[in-house]
Amino acid sequence: LGVADARTLRTSLERHGRAEAFDTAFPVLRRWAKRRALEGNAWGYFGGLGWAVLLAVPLIHDPLLCATAPDETWAAWRAW
């Protein structure tokens, strides 16, 4: 179901006009999580899809993050 979940997440981001913001911030988030060893199900941490959801949901629903420009998304999400 991972592919279907990812497709649904992507569709939702596009429908709300936040796909560009997500695309800008997600690679930074992955590097950040990897450097801190916060990624991977073996230790009970989020996998890639978990981090994607954790980034995408507030981009769609939080009023402040909905208004954030794509190049400011990473900093705004971390502050969130």
Side-chain angles (χ1 to χ4, degrees):
L1 293 175
V3 173
D5 292 341
R7 188 177 300 122
T8 301
L9 184 67
R10 183 68 188 186
T11 300
S12 185
L13 285 162
E14 289 171 354
R15 188 173 348 112
H16 288 88
R18 301 305 289 155
E20 183 182 355
F22 179 87
D23 292 345
T24 301
F26 191 60
V28 180
L29 171 60
R30 294 290 304 265
R31 287 190 301 271
W32 177 84
K34 201 170 278 197
R35 274 190 236 123
R36 286 157 182 79
L38 296 175
E39 186 176 63
N41 294 328
W43 298 104
Y45 296 120
F46 294 127
L49 185 58
W51 283 111
V53 170
L54 196 60
L55 173 62
V57 170
L59 285 180
I60 294 170
H61 295 289
D62 183 85
L64 177 65
L65 289 176
C66 285
T68 303
D71 61 334
E72 298 170 1
T73 300
W74 170 244
W77 181 83
R78 285 202 48 209
W80 176 81

